[in-house]
């Protein structure tokens, strides 16, 4: 069912829940980063990828990411811009920071499918973070011949600065230090995704956090999670809310805020711009 309850009354309820909950589990999807200013089409696409748009007709940055470029030099020219502007550049319009201010003194944990590192940048404790789908700032062996990830900041900055005519210098093309094959992004796209030690430790900490608060007044705060991969955040949040009468499920999603009938009485649905909602809450 869709909710048409009074917007400001729902915000008041959410505010009260944030203040009184024993624990808050934040589940964040792409919509949160969009609200924070990370748009992957339009002006930002034109500004940083105008030459690629002209050559290949890309309509957004994602589609370029999957394009089979003819050479690794060109592929990394594309990807280094992509990583640089979405991971290392300061873009956040304050949305992540406002969220952090709201929960920093609470017992919180974050699970996110976002790979842009914005939670860490806004001050969230990395021990309270589980980014399930990877990070733009990490590389892995494309094979992969071993389960390790590598920080890419130094090389990406060089690639960004030194590329010419849509090509990075050949000596910057990353190779696996173990087997010599090409490196790839540590992003979950297929079954080659590397889950390194840090990934497994975060998964354990998340499970442990949920166990520790089982049966307590817990707020599941879902921000900008779409229906692309609902099995990671959305469905588990619904299930855990249903299983715990003291739990509350809050869904903030521009135009798509929704909760199933079974948990309607425990739900807060806010159909609004996440940035604005967080401003009002703050
Ligand atoms: Zn390798």
């Amino acid at each position: 069912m869709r909710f048409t309850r009074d917007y400001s009354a729902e915000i008041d309820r959410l505010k009260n829940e944030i203040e009184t909950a024993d624990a808050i589990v934040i589940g964040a999807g792409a919509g949160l980063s969009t609200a924070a200013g990370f748009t992957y089409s339009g002006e930002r696409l034109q500004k940083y990828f105008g030459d690629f748009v002209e050559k290949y007709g890309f309509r957004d940055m994602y589609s370029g990411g999957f394009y089979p470029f003819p050479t690794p030099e060109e592929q990394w020219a594309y990807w280094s811009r992509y990583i640089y502007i979405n991971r290392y550049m300061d873009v956040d319009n304050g949305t992540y920071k406002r969220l952090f201010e709201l929960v920093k003194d609470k017992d919180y944990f974050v699970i996110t499918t976002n790979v842009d590192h914005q939670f860490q940048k806004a001050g969230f404790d990395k021990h309270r973070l589980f980014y399930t789908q990877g990070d733009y700032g990490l590389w892995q062996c494309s094979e992969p011949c071993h389960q390790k990830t590598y920080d890419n900041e130094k090389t990406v900055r060089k690639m960004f600065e030194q590329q010419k005519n849509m090509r990075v210098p050949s000596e910057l093309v990353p190779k696996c230090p173990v087997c010599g094959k090409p490196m790839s992004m540590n992003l979950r796209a297929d079954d080659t995704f590397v889950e390194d030690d840090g990934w497994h430790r975060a998964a354990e900490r998340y499970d442990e956090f949920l166990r520790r608060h089982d049966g307590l007044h817990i707020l599941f705060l879902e921000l900008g999670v779409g229906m692309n991969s609902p099995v990671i955040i959305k469905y588990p949040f619904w299930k855990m809310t249903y299983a715990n009468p003291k739990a509350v499920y809050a869904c903030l999603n521009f135009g798509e805020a929704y909760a199933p009938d079974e948990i309607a009485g425990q739900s807060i649905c806010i159909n609004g711009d996440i940035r604005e909602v967080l401003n009002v809450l703050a």
Side-chain angles (χ1 to χ4, degrees), residues 92-133:
D92 182 16
N93 54 28
T95 299
Y96 276 92
K97 290 201 178 73
R98 230 155 277 128
L99 180 62
F100 179 60
E101 290 300 317
L102 275 177
V103 302
K104 66 177 184 188
D105 298 323
K106 303 288 299 187
D107 196 3
Y108 71 83
F109 203 97
V110 177
I111 177 169
T112 184
T113 52
N114 293 348
V115 295
D116 52 19
H117 214 76
Q118 295 308 307
F119 281 101
Q120 291 96 318
K121 280 178 107 169
F124 284 82
D125 179 354
K126 68 174 182 186
H127 297 105
R128 293 173 177 271
L129 261 181
F130 180 23
Y131 39 105
T132 64
Q133 310 301 85

Side-chain angles (χ1 to χ4, degrees), residues 141-146 176 178-181:
C141 172
S142 58
E143 191 66 12
C145 72
H146 64 298
C176 172
V178 178
C179 74
K181 292 218 169 88

Side-chain angles (χ1 to χ4, degrees), residues 73-251:
E73 285 82 1
E74 190 173 340
Q75 178 199 340
W76 287 110
Y78 189 88
W79 267 104
S80 58
R81 293 186 210 174
Y82 193 121
I83 302 164
Y84 181 78
I85 67 167
N86 294 309
R87 166 70 170 80
Y88 297 119
M89 232 170 70
D90 287 323
V91 175
D92 182 16
N93 54 28
T95 299
Y96 276 92
K97 290 201 178 73
R98 230 155 277 128
L99 180 62
F100 179 60
E101 290 300 317
L102 275 177
V103 302
K104 66 177 184 188
D105 298 323
K106 303 288 299 187
D107 196 3
Y108 71 83
F109 203 97
V110 177
I111 177 169
T112 184
T113 52
N114 293 348
V115 295
D116 52 19
H117 214 76
Q118 295 308 307
F119 281 101
Q120 291 96 318
K121 280 178 107 169
F124 284 82
D125 179 354
K126 68 174 182 186
H127 297 105
R128 293 173 177 271
L129 261 181
F130 180 23
Y131 39 105
T132 64
Q133 310 301 85
D135 187 306
Y136 284 146
L138 298 173
W139 283 335
Q140 61 164 75
C141 172
S142 58
E143 191 66 12
C145 72
H146 64 298
Q147 300 286 310
K148 227 180 119 181
T149 59
Y150 297 85
D151 188 288
N152 64 26
E153 178 164 7
K154 252 165 89 181
T155 312
V156 164
R157 285 183 185 276
K158 274 190 202 157
M159 285 174 164
F160 186 80
E161 284 156 17
Q162 296 178 19
Q163 61 180 269
K164 275 192 205 109
N165 304 319
M166 302 159 76
R167 293 169 68 88
V168 298
S170 298
E171 65 268 23
L172 292 181
V173 170
K175 301 251 166 55
C176 172
V178 178
C179 74
K181 292 218 169 88
M183 294 293 256
S184 61
M185 300 297 298
N186 182 228
L187 299 175
R188 192 190 299 277
D190 54 36
D191 59 5
T192 63
F193 177 67
V194 166
E195 295 172 353
D196 64 5
D197 286 347
W199 189 98
H200 286 286
R201 278 198 302 272
E204 279 161 27
R205 279 193 291 262
Y206 179 55
D207 282 344
E208 205 269 325
F209 187 90
L210 293 174
R211 259 200 312 276
R212 190 150 46 86
H213 296 93
D214 191 29
L216 298 179
H217 177 190
I218 183 163
L219 170 64
F220 292 101
L221 178 56
E222 188 192 287
L223 301 159
V225 175
M227 285 308 276
N228 282 338
S229 42
V231 293
I232 300 169
I233 295 168
K234 193 179 281 289
Y235 292 169
F237 275 20
W238 289 356
K239 257 194 198 156
M240 289 187 282
T241 304
Y242 184 64
N244 175 2
K246 287 192 195 160
V248 171
Y249 168 70
C251 179

